[in-house]
C-alpha cells in the first residue's frame, strides 16, 4: 500500500470516531424525557328515580379500572343500565376494567308498582227471540277465558251465532279461550216452525210406581217417521217404552213414586210441549163438585152422573145456599135403565135460581174406594128449564166437575 493511501484511511477512521463521540449537540445533563401519560373519560348519568355514583365525567388513565354504584329512590326499581348504549341489565353496580377508550354509562328507573295487565273486551248481543248471558260488554285480562250461554225464547230456535262476524253455527254455548284480542259475539233467533202437543191418558194417578200414564206427543208440521222425541220428568218419576214418531206421533209410559203434581215435557226440533199429572196415594173417598161453565137462571135441572168402578155413592148436598138460592136437591139411585155407577140427580126451585160460572151447585160424596182412582163425569143432561118453565138445552160439556180425593182420615190428597 502506498503512503498516500494509508493516510487517507487514517483520516476516514478519525471522522467516524468523532461522529460517534457526543455528536448531535445533546443536553449537558446526559438524561432522556419520558413520553406524556394517556388518559380517557367515562361519562355517567342517571334518570329520574335514582342515582349513579360517581356521576358526571371521570378521567382515568389507560389500563385503569373504574366502578359505579346505581341506587334507587323509594318506590322505584332499576329499569336498565346502558354501557356505551348497550344494556347490561338492571344491575346495581358496574366496573370498567383495563380502560383503553372513552365510555358512557347511564341508568334508568321505573316505579315499583307493576303496570296494569293488558285487558280486552267482548261485546255480546242477542236479537229478538232469545238471550245471551252475560250480555253487553265484558272486560277480561289477557289470557283469560269467557263462556257464553245462548237461550231461545218459547216459540223460537237459535238461528246463528256470529263470533267476530263469522258464524260458528246454531250453538247453545260458546267459549273464548286465552283471550288476547277484542271480540264480539252475536246471537240471532228465528220462530220455531214446529209445535209439540203433549197429552196424558189421565191427569191423576197412584204414586205406587205401578199405575201407568200413557203420554202422547203430537208434532206439527210433519217430521220424518222415526224422529226421536225426548220425554223428561223430575226425579221420582220414570219414563219408559218411548217410541219414535210414527205419523207425527211419539209415545211413552210414565210412572211415579212422588206425591206431587208432575210436569212432563216432550221436546223435538227445538219445540217443547208439556202436561201435568198429579200422583197421589190410594184414596179412600172423594168429594165431587158439579158446576156450570157460565151463569144460568134455572128453575129445574136434571142430569145423569157417572163414576168409575170402585166408588160408592153415599150422600149428596145442594150448594145452592152458598148462592142464596132456594132450590132443593132431589136424588135417585141407579134406575133400571141406568148403568152401574150412574145416578140421576135433579135440582128444582119454585122461585128459580141463578148459577155462577164454575161455582159448584151440587156436591156428591163417595166412599169405600179401595182400589185405583175412580173418575167422575156428567154423563148426560135429562132436562133443564129456565124460570118459568122455558126449556133450556144443556149438554154434558157445559158442566165442570172438580174432585177432591181424601185418605182414610178425611184429609185431602
Amino acid at each position: 500500500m502506498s503512503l498516500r493511501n494509508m493516510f487517507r484511511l487514517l483520516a476516514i477512521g478519525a471522522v467516524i470516531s468523532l461522529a460517534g463521540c457526543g455528536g448531535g449537540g445533546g443536553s449537558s445533563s446526559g438524561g432522556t424525557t419520558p413520553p406524556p401519560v394517556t388518559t380517557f373519560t367515562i361519562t355517567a348519568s342517571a334518570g329520574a328515580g335514582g342515582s349513579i355514583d360517581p356521576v358526571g365525567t371521570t378521567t382515568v388513565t389507560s389500563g385503569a379500572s373504574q366502578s359505579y354504584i346505581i341506587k334507587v329512590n323509594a318506590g322505584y326499581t332499576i329499569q336498565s343500565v346502558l354501557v356505551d348504549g348497550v344494556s347490561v341489565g338492571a344491575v346495581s353496580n358496574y366496573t370498567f376494567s383495563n380502560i383503553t377508550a372513552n365510555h358512557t354509562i347511564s341508568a334508568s328507573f321505573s316505579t315499583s308498582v307493576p303496570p296494569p295487565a293488558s285487558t280486552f273486551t267482548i261485546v255480546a248481543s242477542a236479537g229478538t227471540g232469545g238471550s245471551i248471558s252475560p250480555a253487553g260488554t265484558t272486560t277480561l285480562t289477557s289470557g283469560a277465558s269467557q263462556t257464553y250461554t245462548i237461550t231461545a225464547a218459547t216459540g223460537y230456535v237459535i238461528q246463528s251465532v256470529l263470533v267476530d262476524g263469522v258464524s260458528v253455527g246454531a250453538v247453545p254455548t260458546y267459549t273464548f279461550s286465552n283471550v288476547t284480542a277484542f271480540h264480539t259475539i252475536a246471537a240471532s233467533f228465528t220462530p220455531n216452525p214446529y209445535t209439540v202437543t203433549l197429552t196424558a191418558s189421565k191427569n191423576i194417578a197412584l204414586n205406587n210406581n205401578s199405575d201407568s200414564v200413557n203420554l202422547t206427543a203430537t208434532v206439527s208440521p210433519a217430521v220424518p217417521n222415526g224422529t226421536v222425541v225426548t220425554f223428561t220428568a223430575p226425579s221420582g218419576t220414570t219414563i219408559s217404552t218411548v217410541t219414535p214418531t210414527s205419523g207425527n206421533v211419539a209415545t211413552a209410559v210414565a210412572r211415579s213414586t212422588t206425591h206431587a203434581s208432575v210436569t212432563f215435557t216432550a221436546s223435538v226440533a227445538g219445540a217443547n210441549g208439556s202436561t201435568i199429572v198429579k200422583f197421589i196415594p190410594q184414596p179412600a173417598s172423594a168429594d165431587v163438585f158439579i158446576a156450570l161453565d157460565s151463569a144460568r137462571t134455572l128453575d129445574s135441572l136434571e142430569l145423569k152422573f157417572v163414576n168409575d168402578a170402585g166408588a160408592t155413592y153415599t150422600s149428596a148436598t145442594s150448594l145452592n145456599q152458598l148462592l142464596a138460592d132456594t132450590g132443593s136437591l132431589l136424588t135417585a139411585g141407579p134406575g133400571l135403565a141406568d148403568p152401574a155407577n150412574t145416578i140421576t140427580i135433579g135440582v128444582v126451585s119454585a122461585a128459580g135460581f141463578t148459577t155462577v160460572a164454575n161455582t159448584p151447585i151440587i156436591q156428591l160424596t163417595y166412599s169405600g174406594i179401595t182400589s185405583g182412582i175412580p173418575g167422575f163425569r156428567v154423563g148426560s143432561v135429562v132436562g133443564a128449564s129456565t124460570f118459568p118453565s122455558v126449556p133450556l138445552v144443556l149438554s154434558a160439556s157445559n158442566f165442570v166437575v172438580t174432585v177432591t180425593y181424601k185418605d182414610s182420615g178425611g184429609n185431602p190428597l
Side-chain angles (χ1 to χ4, degrees), residues 43-115:
T43 302
S45 61
S51 62
I52 188 169
D53 186 33
V55 69
T57 300
T58 301
T59 301
V60 296
T61 58
S62 177
S65 297
Q66 177 63 50
S67 294
Y68 287 86
I69 297 175
I70 296 94
K71 298 180 179 180
V72 296
N73 298 337
Y76 287 83
T77 58
I78 299 172
Q79 184 178 45
S80 179
V81 174
L82 302 181
V83 173
D84 298 332
V86 178
S87 176
V88 294
V91 297
S92 59
N93 59 77
Y94 186 84
T95 299
F96 293 93
S97 301
N98 188 27
I99 299 169
T100 59
N102 297 322
H103 294 285
T104 61
I105 180 171
S106 62
S108 60
F109 308 91
S110 64
T111 57
S112 57
V113 179

Side-chain angles (χ1 to χ4, degrees), residues 157-173:
V157 292
I158 300 171
Q159 182 179 44
S160 180
V161 176
L162 302 181
V163 173
D164 298 332
V166 179
S167 176
V168 294
V171 295
T173 63

Side-chain angles (χ1 to χ4, degrees), residues 4-377:
R4 183 179 172 179
N5 288 338
M6 185 178 296
F7 280 114
R8 186 177 293 172
L9 290 173
L10 290 173
I12 293 172
V15 171
I16 294 173
S17 178
L18 288 173
C21 296
S27 170
S28 62
S29 64
T32 61
T33 302
V37 176
T38 302
T39 60
F40 302 98
T41 60
I42 302 175
T43 302
S45 61
S51 62
I52 188 169
D53 186 33
V55 69
T57 300
T58 301
T59 301
V60 296
T61 58
S62 177
S65 297
Q66 177 63 50
S67 294
Y68 287 86
I69 297 175
I70 296 94
K71 298 180 179 180
V72 296
N73 298 337
Y76 287 83
T77 58
I78 299 172
Q79 184 178 45
S80 179
V81 174
L82 302 181
V83 173
D84 298 332
V86 178
S87 176
V88 294
V91 297
S92 59
N93 59 77
Y94 186 84
T95 299
F96 293 93
S97 301
N98 188 27
I99 299 169
T100 59
N102 297 322
H103 294 285
T104 61
I105 180 171
S106 62
S108 60
F109 308 91
S110 64
T111 57
S112 57
V113 179
S118 297
T119 59
F120 302 96
T121 59
I122 301 176
V123 179
S125 60
T128 301
S131 61
I132 188 169
S133 180
T137 301
T138 300
T139 301
L140 303 172
T141 58
S142 179
S145 298
Q146 178 66 51
T147 297
Y148 287 86
T149 301
I150 298 94
T151 305
T154 301
Y156 286 81
V157 292
I158 300 171
Q159 182 179 44
S160 180
V161 176
L162 302 181
V163 173
D164 298 332
V166 179
S167 176
V168 294
V171 295
T173 63
Y174 187 84
T175 299
F176 292 91
S177 301
N178 188 29
V179 175
T180 57
F182 295 92
H183 294 286
T184 61
I185 180 170
S188 59
F189 308 88
T190 187
N192 191 344
Y194 294 99
T195 60
V196 178
T197 302
L198 182 61
T199 58
S201 58
K202 48 190 172 184
N203 59 12
I204 190 165
L206 293 175
N207 64 344
N208 56 8
N209 207 33
S210 177
D211 194 6
S212 60
V213 178
N214 297 321
L215 301 175
T216 301
T218 303
V219 185
S220 179
V223 292
N225 285 343
T227 300
V228 175
V229 176
T230 301
F231 292 86
T232 57
S235 175
T237 302
T238 59
I239 295 178
S240 60
T241 321
V242 178
T243 61
T245 56
S246 175
N248 288 359
V249 174
T251 61
V253 177
R255 298 177 178 85
S256 184
T257 58
T258 185
H259 181 190
S261 294
V262 175
T263 299
F264 294 95
T265 302
S267 304
V268 65
N272 303 303
S274 63
T275 190
I276 298 176
V277 178
K278 185 175 183 180
F279 290 89
I280 63 172
Q282 176 62 54
S285 64
D287 288 338
V288 183
F289 303 90
I290 303 174
L292 278 163
D293 60 3
S294 59
R296 309 275 181 170
T297 299
L298 305 169
D299 67 345
S300 68
L301 171 65
E302 187 178 17
L303 54 87
K304 289 185 178 181
F305 190 73
V306 182
N307 78 87
D308 293 335
T312 301
Y313 164 70
T314 57
S315 65
T317 304
S318 171
L319 299 187
N320 292 331
Q321 291 84 353
L322 300 179
L323 307 175
D325 292 326
T326 60
S328 61
L329 179 69
L330 302 178
T331 66
L336 294 178
D338 293 332
N341 306 317
T342 300
I343 64 170
T344 300
I345 58 178
V347 179
V348 296
S349 172
F353 61 95
T354 301
T355 66
V356 177
N358 298 312
T359 299
I361 57 172
I362 299 172
Q363 176 182 339
L364 304 173
T365 300
Y366 288 80
S367 62
I369 303 173
T370 59
S371 177
I373 302 176
F376 301 88
R377 60 187 172 84

